[in-house]
Amino acid sequence: LPYLANATAVRSALAAAAASGGADGGDHPLVAVDAPVDWLRDQSSGLFYGSARVQMGSVEAAEAAVRVAGASGLRMGKRKLRLNFAPVKEGEEWPSVGFEQKERPPVG
């Protein structure tokens, strides 16, 4: 992700990719307006390194977004985004207890 990305832009890009990839969302939005965006940090330095986790509206929407990104190259600004699908593991809760949504990635 671009370092100047924000949660709203990430959600919008993923929703557009999921919609163009054939996910209809059904009763669930492709990407909720308030979907958690977790800005990932390097474990040793604690600094944001350009990756995030986003909760999609459904498994189908997540799969469609990954398909579109792989086929046509989903972009945010000038950067090509790489998407991976990683379902929550059994017994794991996401977002985790204490998760605090931030509109922009952490700096410093």
Side-chain angles (χ1 to χ4, degrees):
L1 291 170
Y3 289 101
L4 298 175
N6 63 54
T8 302
V10 170
R11 290 183 199 108
S12 296
L14 292 175
S20 67
D24 65 4
D27 293 333
H28 307 287
L30 300 173
V31 180
V33 175
D34 60 348
V37 176
D38 185 14
W39 307 106
L40 301 180
R41 296 172 179 234
D42 179 75
Q43 290 183 344
S44 59
S45 70
L47 299 174
F48 172 66
Y49 62 88
S51 294
R53 269 189 299 212
V54 180
Q55 185 173 6
M56 300 293 286
S58 68
V59 170
E60 294 78 18
E63 290 171 344
V66 170
R67 244 190 337 271
V68 168
S72 63
L74 179 62
R75 293 190 170 278
M76 180 177 281
K78 294 183 179 182
R79 284 198 187 227
K80 182 177 178 183
L81 302 183
R82 290 181 302 191
L83 300 183
N84 294 307
F85 175 68
V88 176
K89 296 175 185 168
E90 188 173 325
E92 194 174 73
E93 184 179 325
W94 196 84
S96 59
V97 175
F99 172 78
E100 185 179 324
Q101 177 64 64
K102 305 227 185 278
E103 181 61 18
R104 295 204 172 271
V107 179

